[in-house]
Amino acid sequence: MVSEATTTAPNPAITLTKTALINGQSFAIVPGETILSFVRRFKGKDAIPTLCDAPNLDPFGSCRVCSVEVGRVGNGTNLRTVASCHTPVEEGMMVFTESESIQKLRKNIVELVLTDHPLECLTCEVNGNCELQDVAARVGIRGVRYPHGKVHTDREKDLSHPYMTSDLSKCIMCYRCVRACDEVQGQLVLSVAGRGFDSKIIKGLDQDFFSSECVSCGACSQACPTSAIHDVFQSKAEVGQEKVRTTCTYCGVGCNLDVSVKSGKILSIQAPYDAAVNQGHTCLKGRYAFKFYNHPERLQYPMIRKNGTLERVTWDEVYDFLAERLLSIKDKYGPDAIAGISSARTTNEENYLMQKMIRAVIGTNNIDGCARVCHSPTALGMQRTFGTGAATNSIEDIKFTNCMMVIGANPTAAHPVTGAKIKQKAMKGTPLIVIDPRRTEMAKYATIHLQLRPGTNVAVLDMMLYYIIKEGLVSQEFVSNRTEGFEDFQKGILSLNIDELEKVSGVPREQAREAAIVYATANGAMSFHGLGVTEHYQGTYSVMLIADLAMITGNIGKPGCGVNPLRGQNNVQGMADMGVQPYQGAGYLHVEDAANIERFTEFYGVKSMPTKTGYTIPEMYDHALDGKLKALWITGEDVVQSDPNSKKVMDALDALELLVVQEIFETETTKHAHVVLPGASFLEKDGTFTNGERRIQKVQKVVEPIGESKSDGQIYVGMMNRLGYHQAPYSAKGLLEEISQIVPFFAGVKWDNLKSNGKQWPVAADGTDTQILHTETFKRGKGKFVFREFIETNEILDHQADFPYILTTNRVLEHYNAGTMTRRTANAKIVHEDVLLINPVDAAVIAVKDGDLVKVESPRGHVDVKAKVTDEVKPGILSTTFHFPEVLLNLVTGDVHDDIANCPEYKVVSVRINKV
């Protein structure tokens, strides 16, 4: 949450007619603002010194360094001293910031603080960027008049953690770290023990950082005004450093990062307080897991496999080789024998270029990527219901909602900054409904947790819709005026057998009814869903039902509500926007529509464009195996480790005549490649990412690409030109200009007008962006209700008799997808292996305890993974992660896909288990 003391511009909608005086000058006040905010707005950040205040913390008033004198106009002799950080400014108030008595008071306070502080400024880690130093200089400290107190040198430094450190002898008891842990992250790890002079900050039950429940977000370190709590990167030591603002490469939250760089090396990362997305907060991946960028294992030059071994070649050699092979395959088998898989970790501009290369240069719509693989049910489900397949609202709307529903997602692990905001809201009493087969961290804060069996989202959502209708909670006005198909939908819902739905889902009907009533009666309910919704046989229909819940209760088109998918990777939204799917080009323009074909043909300046829908990734594997697909270009995806049924994937890759893998590290997939191209990391390129709330933000180069590696965009441009198509040299600004001419909702997106916080699409030609969609109408006209019955997945129907357990997948906070980046940082010291969550009942049946190896076997294969015995999952349900190639979990996942979007069903795997 943002303190009222933050320096902000007044809302232009507020008429500023009331005034107050600052040192005799009259200024307009904003209702509700504090004196500190008021003074800083006109006199600057340094007008009043502070020690316990921070931009993203609530006013606290403990240090009193921010004290000012105040009085009333007409009564200037009756002055009183107040803390400006939490005292509201009033009309007619006189504020004196530098009176003689105030200067003496501030100096006295700081002198007292310094008596208990070690005078080691010249050797301190934050020398040159210490707020205590700055404040001492600001108030005129030249010496300390009081006897030096007992400095707590007995408080040992805590160096137990890979990232977090502490030296509490330097603590000034401002409580900023405690409040950051509480108000920003909501983790409540830090607190105060002892009284008086012996009071101190403790972690957990007076543990070290590593033993505590610390999630390493670094909020406390960034908040600390000294170096009492710090990190191994000395992120507050800024002397001689340049700061570059960019956007995080990990999840879809899209946190802004301030990267400190010196002499071409990255030193540390902080979170800017003025970032609209993350307001001075980020997780351990964004703040600390950056050292992969110059890891010794980075790919630094192109390679071609010769006689079974990858050998170093020049860029000219590899371009010539690829041009000859691609053109030869195209001439012999046709363009549809070639396909591409792009990456949600690359920028909008790079995704746009790859789909352009595959379509306009190669001549096929065989282009796909993880955005479609994992999130196509969201895009298609919301497109069919609303007309637009993206988040309806902004994350900021969490402030205004009166009910939250999280389904198939664990945002505190997978989307940590958004997860912290949801958790904070729930901790303050806002009802939270969690629908998840695991008792996730978020479920612990839930008002209602519907712990369903994996694969039964449709059954549970059907029950909720049933009770909303039965209880008379339908928003009749919204349904009548803004939707269609409701009558048939209602008939279908009311015809359902609740006994069967209750039995198959494992969710008691009364719980479903309670959740339905809480959601439907809230004055604004906001839903969030993740891969636990989309990666199912009925994933698309599940998304449609979530959209139906919003429409049936009128929770669309206003603040604090809506349907908000949590995107798993940093640029999932942008990847789809740029046309990385076989049935839609850039801007979601359908590839088989004659008008769109003509438009693309003219815009790209080619003789013709492909006219039929291309292959999805699962179809690429099928056609590689049946001989129709001969060449595949993969960027930034370790498909062997991350795609289901790894054995089939490997067989398909080995059947190709040409496999090109563009990566930053060698992976399980590069082991099968004929050509490996070294790409650049997000820290080595310019471009834009689009986060989960449709916010287009700048990615700015911090350091030069390592070795001979190139940005993915530069690689595509070089290849396109070598294939005979003229593509201008890579420029993020230039490509964004091109994109704005073909993608309708990017019309007003220009590099120079994105500034620090980007814009949320659709962006009009004049640059006006959009925070909330569907305020008056849907893109398709009226929202559409469609009824379908719950259908059991074939994975259960075909295999349950021999494989009676259900395995589902999840993520942990410390790692990201296949772990290609995070396993090469100190995150691997915190979590270093995949584990199998198993209920104590099931563990007893096969006689395993924590740490024992369990053989998990499916109809496709088996893996061995260590057990973690926990009641986080119900009996009969297992869960594990897929971050480590040593386990290669996807050897056991299957070939069942969503029946509409062809998204793999990662979340339901029939298995049997035995102790190894």
Side-chain angles (χ1 to χ4, degrees):
M1 72 187 63
V2 180
S3 165
E4 290 179 350
T6 304
T7 304
T8 56
N11 187 331
I14 299 174
T15 303
L16 303 178
T17 57
K18 298 180 180 180
T19 62
L21 277 68
I22 304 173
N23 299 327
Q25 288 183 282
S26 180
F27 298 97
I29 66 173
V30 174
E33 72 178 332
T34 63
I35 294 174
L36 182 61
S37 178
F38 168 61
V39 172
R40 284 179 167 177
R41 189 154 54 82
F42 292 105
K43 298 296 183 178
K45 180 179 179 295
D46 299 324
I48 297 177
T50 64
L51 275 178
C52 71
D53 179 72
N56 61 342
L57 300 179
D58 283 341
F60 195 59
S62 68
C63 74
R64 286 317 203 241
V65 173
C66 71
S67 294
V68 295
E69 286 188 323
V70 299
R72 304 291 302 177
V73 173
N75 189 12
T77 58
N78 188 16
L79 300 179
R80 58 193 176 95
T81 300
V82 298
S84 65
C85 66
H86 62 66
T87 304
V89 67
E90 300 173 359
E91 182 180 15
M93 180 180 279
M94 298 188 301
V95 179
F96 298 97
T97 64
E98 297 294 335
S99 66
E100 185 177 348
S101 60
I102 286 297
Q103 290 185 51
K104 287 182 178 179
L105 174 63
R106 290 175 184 161
K107 188 173 182 179
N108 192 53
I109 291 170
V110 176
E111 282 186 277
L112 288 169
V113 170
L114 290 173
T115 62
D116 296 336
H117 191 76
L119 300 179
E120 302 171 351
C121 295
L122 293 178
T123 58
C124 181
E125 298 97 325
V126 295
N127 184 32
N129 191 39
C130 173
E131 289 183 51
L132 180 58
Q133 277 186 5
D134 294 342
V135 170
R138 166 74 170 75
V139 301
I141 299 290
R142 298 295 179 266
V144 178
R145 294 170 293 165
Y146 304 109
H148 207 63
K150 175 189 172 186
V151 177
H152 289 286
T153 53
D154 57 321
R155 295 177 181 174
E156 294 183 1
K157 292 183 179 181
D158 181 357
L159 304 176
S160 62
H161 196 277
Y163 296 129
M164 308 304 301
T165 67
S166 69
D167 180 359
L168 296 180
S169 68
K170 298 175 182 177
C171 178
I172 61 171
M173 292 304 294
C174 66
Y175 287 73
R176 276 165 61 167
C177 62
V178 176
R179 290 150 57 209
C181 195
D182 174 3
E183 298 172 22
V184 178
Q185 180 60 32
Q187 202 65 17
L188 305 175
V189 170
L190 300 178
S191 57
V192 177
R195 299 183 64 182
F197 188 77
D198 291 323
S199 61
K200 64 175 183 176
I201 304 296
I202 62 170
K203 306 127 189 170
L205 300 174
D206 205 1
Q207 301 159 287
D208 59 31
F209 261 127
F210 195 73
S211 303
S212 74
E213 294 297 312
C214 173
V215 294
S216 321
C217 70
C220 57
S221 173
Q222 183 160 327
C224 181
T226 65
S227 63
I229 292 184
H230 205 16
D231 57 57
V232 297
F233 299 115
Q234 299 186 12
S235 56
K236 291 196 287 287
E238 297 178 338
V239 177
Q241 300 177 19
E242 176 190 1
K243 280 197 173 184
V244 180
R245 185 151 171 173
T246 192
T247 304
C248 184
T249 191
Y250 287 109
C251 75
V253 173
C255 290
N256 282 205
L257 307 175
D258 277 341
V259 185
S260 294
V261 60
K262 185 176 183 180
S263 301
K265 292 186 178 180
I266 295 171
L267 302 183
S268 65
I269 292 178
Q270 293 274 55
Y273 287 115
D274 65 342
V277 171
N278 52 312
Q279 300 94 26
H281 189 34
T282 188
C283 74
L284 85 162
K285 294 190 290 290
R287 190 185 297 272
Y288 297 133
F290 62 85
K291 294 294 284 184
F292 68 85
Y293 89 96
N294 64 349
H295 193 279
E297 294 176 3
R298 276 288 301 273
L299 293 171
Q300 299 193 36
Y301 43 80
M303 295 181 285
I304 296 175
R305 192 174 299 278
K306 299 176 182 179
N307 299 318
T309 303
L310 287 170
E311 296 185 7
R312 179 176 182 171
V313 295
T314 66
W315 278 104
D316 280 338
E317 286 178 274
V318 82
Y319 280 144
D320 287 341
F321 176 83
L322 287 173
E324 188 278 325
R325 295 296 295 122
L326 289 169
L327 292 175
S328 174
I329 290 170
K330 180 179 177 181
D331 289 343
K332 186 175 181 179
Y333 302 106
D336 289 335
I338 301 170
I341 297 176
S342 194
S343 174
R345 282 182 286 283
T346 61
T347 66
N348 286 323
E349 296 74 18
E350 291 168 333
N351 276 291
Y352 173 79
L353 274 176
M354 185 170 191
Q355 66 85 34
K356 182 179 177 181
M357 179 176 75
I358 295 295
R359 288 189 164 109
V361 182
I362 300 296
T364 179
N365 282 315
N366 293 342
I367 179 69
D368 203 2
C370 71
R372 195 213 59 78
V373 169
C374 297
H375 290 272
S376 51
T378 285
L380 283 176
M382 293 177 71
Q383 283 171 9
R384 292 186 177 196
T385 307
F386 301 149
T388 300
T392 63
N393 288 60
S394 305
I395 295 302
E396 184 182 19
D397 283 289
I398 293 172
K399 295 177 183 177
F400 312 118
T401 191
N402 291 296
C403 175
M404 300 171 292
M405 181 175 74
V406 176
I407 173 170
N410 186 24
T412 52
H415 307 86
V417 170
T418 296
K421 292 177 180 179
I422 295 172
K423 185 168 74 171
Q424 289 276 358
K425 188 76 171 175
M427 290 168 68
K428 292 173 182 173
T430 299
L432 171 63
I433 301 163
V434 171
I435 305 176
D436 201 287
R438 294 189 301 126
R439 186 169 55 83
T440 61
E441 181 185 2
M442 195 61 73
K444 298 171 187 176
Y445 297 91
T447 312
I448 304 166
H449 177 203
L450 306 182
Q451 195 168 5
L452 76 173
R453 195 208 79 192
T456 61
N457 289 323
V458 168
V460 172
L461 293 167
D462 276 347
M463 284 198 286
M464 289 183 65
L465 286 158
Y466 176 90
Y467 285 114
I468 287 172
I469 295 170
K470 276 289 190 181
E471 297 292 333
L473 299 176
V474 176
S475 177
Q476 296 291 352
E477 182 180 357
F478 188 94
V479 169
S480 298
N481 295 335
R482 295 198 53 188
T483 71
E484 61 186 12
F486 180 70
E487 188 173 334
D488 290 339
F489 179 79
Q490 180 174 246
K491 288 179 182 177
I493 291 293
L494 293 179
S495 70
L496 292 169
N497 186 325
I498 298 299
D499 291 339
E500 290 182 3
L501 298 180
E502 181 180 48
K503 181 179 179 181
V504 74
S505 68
V507 173
R509 67 184 68 195
E510 282 305 312
Q511 280 191 9
R513 177 179 176 274
E514 182 185 2
I517 293 171
V518 168
Y519 180 90
T521 56
N523 182 23
M526 198 171 186
S527 75
F528 303 89
H529 70 268
L531 302 183
V533 168
T534 60
E535 291 177 347
H536 286 283
Y537 176 62
Q538 283 191 295
T540 301
Y541 186 52
S542 296
V543 173
M544 293 167 71
L545 286 176
I546 295 170
D548 293 338
L549 271 174
M551 291 196 301
I552 202 172
T553 55
N555 278 302
I556 286 288
K558 59 185 181 181
C561 65
V563 178
N564 303 279
L566 296 169
R567 305 303 197 179
Q569 298 186 32
N570 54 300
N571 202 30
V572 162
Q573 184 65 57
M575 184 184 197
D577 296 343
M578 294 301 104
V580 180
Q581 50 256 328
Y583 43 81
Q584 292 172 327
Y588 301 101
L589 302 178
H590 288 274
V591 299
E592 295 186 1
D593 181 271
N596 292 337
I597 293 170
E598 182 179 352
R599 181 178 180 185
F600 281 125
T601 302
E602 180 180 353
F603 187 75
Y604 291 146
V606 294
K607 293 180 180 179
S608 63
M609 288 287 290
T611 59
K612 66 177 183 179
T613 295
Y615 300 151
T616 62
I617 289 176
E619 291 168 338
M620 291 178 191
Y621 300 146
D622 290 339
H623 292 311
L625 291 169
D626 68 22
K628 292 180 181 178
L629 188 69
K630 302 296 184 181
L632 179 60
W633 187 313
I634 302 175
T635 297
E637 290 294 329
D638 186 3
V639 296
V640 170
Q641 186 176 339
S642 63
D643 279 13
N645 197 349
S646 296
K647 176 65 166 58
K648 178 181 177 180
V649 173
M650 290 186 279
D651 289 344
L653 299 183
D654 290 339
L656 295 165
E657 292 184 12
L658 177 65
L659 175 61
V660 184
V661 179
Q662 193 165 306
E663 258 293 357
I664 62 173
F665 291 103
E666 289 195 39
T667 66
E668 296 301 305
T669 303
T670 63
K671 294 176 182 178
H672 302 263
H674 301 102
V675 176
V676 174
L677 303 176
S681 74
F682 84 110
L683 294 161
E684 302 159 337
K685 64 174 70 172
D686 292 320
T688 56
F689 293 153
T690 304
N691 77 349
E693 58 177 358
R694 300 170 282 104
R695 188 183 298 274
I696 308 151
Q697 301 185 107
K698 284 184 178 180
V699 178
Q700 302 193 95
K701 182 192 286 187
V702 179
V703 292
E704 291 300 318
I706 194 168
E708 297 175 21
S709 64
K710 296 176 182 283
S711 75
D712 300 287
Q714 288 176 307
I715 296 173
Y716 299 144
V717 168
M719 194 70 251
M720 292 167 78
N721 285 318
R722 198 62 62 104
L723 289 169
Y725 182 93
H726 176 67
Q727 178 66 43
Y730 182 83
S731 155
K733 182 176 181 178
L735 276 164
L736 206 53
E737 178 65 32
E738 179 178 333
I739 291 166
S740 72
Q741 296 173 42
I742 193 66
V743 176
F745 46 87
F746 268 57
V749 179
K750 311 295 179 186
W751 181 263
D752 293 334
N753 71 12
L754 288 177
K755 299 183 180 178
S756 294
N757 285 308
K759 290 183 180 291
Q760 290 173 266
W761 68 252
V763 182
D766 65 359
T768 304
D769 66 345
T770 309
Q771 285 72 51
I772 301 176
L773 299 180
H774 318 307
T775 54
E776 296 179 3
T777 185
F778 293 103
K779 185 178 180 182
R780 69 178 306 279
K782 289 192 172 185
K784 187 173 184 178
F785 286 98
V786 174
F787 175 75
R788 295 177 67 194
E789 292 187 351
F790 165 74
I791 302 172
E792 185 66 88
T793 171
N794 286 334
E795 179 71 7
I796 298 295
L797 296 176
D798 294 345
H799 303 301
Q800 191 173 36
D802 295 325
F803 300 88
Y805 290 88
I806 296 176
L807 173 70
T808 191
T809 58
N810 61 279
R811 295 185 186 181
V812 294
L813 168 68
E814 291 78 8
H815 289 288
Y816 177 72
N817 287 1
T820 306
M821 297 182 290
T822 51
R823 283 186 284 106
R824 291 175 171 92
T825 71
N827 286 30
K829 295 180 180 179
I830 304 173
V831 173
H832 57 86
E833 61 187 353
D834 294 316
V835 295
L836 181 74
L837 305 183
I838 181 171
N839 187 275
V841 173
D842 300 324
V845 170
I846 62 170
V848 300
K849 58 184 184 298
D850 276 350
D852 288 345
L853 274 179
V854 178
K855 179 181 181 180
V856 181
E857 185 179 9
S858 80
R860 275 76 52 182
H862 76 272
V863 297
D864 295 339
V865 58
K866 287 184 180 179
K868 180 181 179 182
V869 182
T870 174
D871 62 0
E872 185 177 316
V873 290
K874 287 183 174 181
I877 308 301
L878 311 165
S879 189
T880 188
T881 52
F882 55 96
H883 303 306
F884 292 86
E886 293 82 0
V887 172
L888 205 60
L889 177 72
N890 281 313
L891 285 169
V892 303
T893 51
D895 281 331
V896 176
H897 292 79
D898 172 80
D899 62 344
I900 298 174
N902 208 20
C903 170
E905 186 176 48
Y906 289 96
K907 300 303 182 185
V908 180
V909 185
S910 293
V911 298
R912 57 189 176 214
I913 54 174
N914 288 288
K915 184 177 181 179
V916 175

